[in-house]
Amino acid sequence: MLVKEIMKKPVVIEHDIGLEEAAKMMAKQNISSLLIAHDGKAEGIVTHEDLVDNFGKKAMVYEVMSKNLVFIKDNDKIQKAVELIKEKKISILPVLDKKGNLVGVVHVKDLLKQIGEEEFLLD
């Protein structure tokens, strides 16, 4: 199975949004992360853990976001996504198409669900 078959649409924000607004967006959309872009280029990710760690601060997302993003291609197999998540100790992978455009996001929960369903089908 390919990453593009289980990826979700990413929620992308500009880097100059405040943490409070980011928290409201996550809560409203029931998501655990936001990708940050500037001039159309993905430059970071902010997660609910980042917001908890910085609770009460009047800061912008660019001040607390993780900047060293690990990407995966939409036509990679989900096994590669699992390997990257294990190796890098992360829970979210932004997904790029063959032109390098941000087209999706895969969360560790999506992978676990898919792997569980595949194993169930094999039994």
Side-chain angles (χ1 to χ4, degrees):
M1 179 167 274
L2 301 178
V3 168
K4 64 182 165 187
E5 296 176 66
I6 65 166
M7 71 182 187
K8 294 190 167 108
K9 185 177 178 181
V11 178
V12 181
I13 61 172
E14 284 290 323
H15 72 281
D16 59 351
I17 290 177
L19 297 182
E20 185 176 339
E21 186 177 347
K24 287 178 184 176
M25 291 176 74
M26 283 187 201
K28 182 178 180 183
Q29 298 192 35
N30 195 27
I31 55 176
S32 61
S33 65
L34 296 166
L35 291 168
I36 291 88
H38 185 62
D39 293 332
K41 182 180 175 191
E43 59 180 30
I45 190 167
V46 65
T47 65
H48 65 275
E49 289 97 350
D50 297 323
L51 297 179
V52 169
D53 290 346
N54 293 280
F55 184 78
K57 288 185 182 175
K58 298 288 184 203
M60 306 303 265
V61 291
Y62 70 84
E63 297 176 84
V64 302
M65 70 184 183
S66 299
K67 297 175 184 168
N68 297 324
L69 294 177
V70 177
F71 295 97
I72 192 160
K73 298 284 186 173
D74 62 350
N75 61 349
D76 285 336
K77 296 186 182 243
I78 63 170
Q79 290 84 356
K80 182 174 181 179
V82 171
E83 291 168 11
L84 278 172
I85 282 173
K86 285 171 54 177
E87 176 189 333
K88 302 294 183 179
K89 295 180 176 44
I90 56 176
S91 60
I92 300 160
L93 284 170
V95 182
L96 304 176
D97 66 11
K98 60 185 167 187
K99 294 180 181 177
N101 298 315
L102 182 65
V103 293
V105 65
V106 173
H107 193 281
V108 68
K109 290 185 280 187
D110 302 322
L111 292 168
L112 291 173
K113 180 181 177 190
Q114 186 59 44
I115 291 167
E117 287 176 4
E118 286 180 6
E119 287 178 4
F120 178 76
L121 292 173
L122 294 175
D123 289 342

